[in-house]
Amino acid sequence: MAPAIMMAADKVELSPANTGFMLICSALVMLMTPGLAFFYGGMVRVKSTLNMLMMSFISLGIVTILWVLYGFSLAFGKDSGGLIGWTSDWVGLSGVDKGQLWVLGETTYNIPLLVFFVFQLMFAIITPALISGALADRVKFSAWALFIALWATVVYFPVAHWVWADGGWAFDMGVIDFAGGTAVHINAGAAALGVILVIGKRVGFKKDPMRPHSLPLVMLGAGLLWFGWFGFNAGSWLGNDDGVGSLMFVNTQVATAAAMLAWLIYEKIRHGAFTTLGAASGAVAGLVAITPAGGSVTPIGAIAVGAIAGLLCALAVGLKYKFGYDDSLDVVGVHLVGGVVGSILIGFFASGKGQSEATGVFYGDHSFDQLWKQLAGVGGVLAYSLVVSALLAFVLHKTIGMRVTEDEEVAGIDQAEHAETAYDFSGAGGGAARTVAQAPVAAAASKKVDA
């Protein structure tokens, strides 16, 4: 999370403008989780729709409580060895005053600590929700809820500290991650790969058709994600005093457009059609790739980042069929690959134009030195998340069991886990009910005609 201009603590006063801006950005990022639920929910079969929605929504509840109790302290508290943080006053927010300003290292910001707390909370919520798309159709809801709690504690909170907290090893090394390419997308994508390697494939994988049941829902979700992502990215400068937030806003739009077009062009050449799902997936790939890089590149550089990510992610989604891992909704192909591409391309396209002395390290310059730093950050997060996530899944799978039974999976996980279905046409106003209700009227009308 890139810092704004450094100022001496005794000269910093709360900025109502930046505070209001950050509260709006926090709300935008919160909206991304329901948007993700719709995006994923439309991509699965009818019998899994509600479960897919719930796998995202439950993160809003679990991670919020953990963030208040200890998550924020672990992620942004006083550093210990570059690996984890801890500040006891932040446990339960017991020692935080509502007027206290956010301080990172020697930098004091003109927004309250509580505003930074809630902004970062929304990042912590959506990251485990991203993983759920890889596990569609087959995971027990109770096991998933427990996995979220454990994964957030031992994976997300430490990784956020590495990347964004003063003293974190990646932060101190100079790894550039403006808004979450490593901490969010590579982290979630690697975790998804680790879990699916443990729990195995869906029944009928590569045999039965598993097409999206509602592309309008997918497009609605993609639109909400795109909308919320402006808060996700532009808000990560924690204000707009020097215009970096504005640059990030522009680059978010530009890269997303380029990625969507690149994906559609690839589809037309490869498969002969411009698909709706391709447009939505391409847009998300662009959003993912520009997330780490958007504060470091020009708009022309953002076009390059987006186009390259759109093409490579489109190629990557087919790897699951080649290598035999069942990534249900292409979390690995889009989030892991997109995060890696965006993070590494900083080493090629970063531009120092317009940088200030206080913020130059986050603008960055394209160089082999920066490239190696990016590779170190990508490799460290990817390896840690992959291994630890797989271990967590293995322990849960061998104890309480991660998967529903084969019969429940075939019949439909919505009914088995939630005792509900997404679409019920049997009640009043439904097709069947209307046909029955209108039968006497139709019969009477027929008699009048005969008479």
Side-chain angles (χ1 to χ4, degrees), residues 48-69:
S48 302
T49 306
L50 292 180
N51 180 254
M52 205 70 259
L53 295 174
M54 282 292 289
M55 289 178 80
S56 289
F57 264 79
I58 193 63
S59 187
L60 284 161
I62 294 171
V63 178
T64 296
I65 301 303
L66 296 184
W67 194 247
V68 173
L69 294 179

Side-chain angles (χ1 to χ4, degrees), residues 199-215:
I199 67 171
K201 308 175 184 66
R202 288 169 290 178
V203 176
F205 176 63
K206 293 202 293 187
K207 298 177 181 178
D208 299 336
M210 297 180 180
R211 293 185 293 270
H213 88 280
S214 177
L215 288 171

